[in-house]
Amino acid sequence: MIPLSWYLILAAGLFSIGLFGVLARRNAVAILLGVELMLNAVNINLVAFWRYGDVAQMAGQVFAIIVFAVAAAEVAVGLALVISVYRRRNTVVAEELDLLKW
Amino acid sequence: MTAEQIIFLIVGAVTLIAGLMVVTVRNLVHAALWLVAALFGVAIVYTLLNAGFIAVVQVVVYIGAIAILFIFAVMLTRRQAADTGASVNKNWWAGALMAAATFAGLAFLLQGWSGFSKTASAIPLGFDAVNQLGDALTSPAGYVLPFEVASVLLLAALVGAVYLAFNKK
């Protein structure tokens, strides 16, 4: 049997990689790719806790499904924003989008 | 070491390497394809956790819809996304430090937790996870309210995405 710790360490590693992507990448689409990795890491944790807890309690799987829905909504709106910004400013580099910067 | 553990180690290593490639490769189309590899690895992890339905949803929704949407967005913004300039900003080392600190902090917190090396109890005979999940999502005693709120959120996202990306000219 695989101990719970392996799943948690895998999820922590994936989350940290995604965090690096969000903090370091310049391209807005690449930042969203990092966010996807972080959401997947959270989902691994949710499903692992469902399996290693009481399997009759479906909260872990239900929350994983809700995270799927939220991720789909986030990507749809995020990429629409990126395309809209690209059309107006002709750039998708996050640091060049300084319209709101004082 | 059991076969299950060997499969987990291989899949986990592939997932982490694919994740690293997602955040480091210059070409964004390649990054999106590496994301597909990482998502497949996560789907296999779900299968190892006896969550077959979640694994199928992962393949259909994440790989079938979200990853393809990413590839479309990369191609629609290609002229600037083309490989000019650095792919990481000048504070990337601070981001790397932050990510390493997050991982170290999580690992430290987790190994101090008593349930850390717990092993799973066997699934009871005749337990149907998909049936239970459907019941939980639609029964008022379960999670019908979050389920409906999620559908409203998806509708709002649909309208918002169409409005934002619509070309007014």
Side-chain angles (χ1 to χ4, degrees), chain B residues 47-89:
Chain B
T47 317
L48 285 173
L49 283 165
N50 300 84
F53 179 70
I54 304 282
V56 172
V57 173
Q58 167 91 358
V59 172
V60 172
V61 174
Y62 257 108
I63 300 174
I66 293 180
I68 301 304
L69 205 58
F70 268 111
I71 293 173
F72 263 101
V74 171
M75 288 177 170
L76 285 173
T77 58
R78 195 157 173 72
R79 247 175 300 156
Q80 288 298 312
D83 318 86
T84 53
S87 66
V88 291
N89 56 35

Side-chain angles (χ1 to χ4, degrees), chain A residues 21-55:
Chain A
V22 170
L23 291 176
R25 294 294 289 238
R26 294 174 78 227
N27 192 301
V29 179
I31 291 174
L32 283 173
L33 287 173
V35 173
E36 289 313 304
L37 286 180
M38 291 164 85
L39 286 168
N40 265 278
V42 172
N43 257 356
I44 292 178
N45 269 353
L46 288 172
V47 178
F49 280 125
W50 164 75
R51 182 65 186 83
Y52 285 75
D54 180 5
V55 283

Side-chain angles (χ1 to χ4, degrees), chain B residues 2-22:
Chain B
T2 63
E4 215 178 10
Q5 289 179 327
I6 295 169
I7 294 173
F8 178 87
L9 287 180
I10 295 171
V11 169
V14 169
T15 307
L16 287 180
I17 290 168
L20 269 179
M21 298 302 280
V22 170

Side-chain angles (χ1 to χ4, degrees), chain B residues 131-156:
Chain B
N131 205 338
Q132 293 277 323
L133 181 62
D135 271 349
L137 277 175
T138 50
S139 80
Y143 301 92
V144 71
L145 189 64
F147 186 64
E148 294 299 330
V149 172
S151 63
V152 174
L153 174 74
L154 281 175
L155 177 67

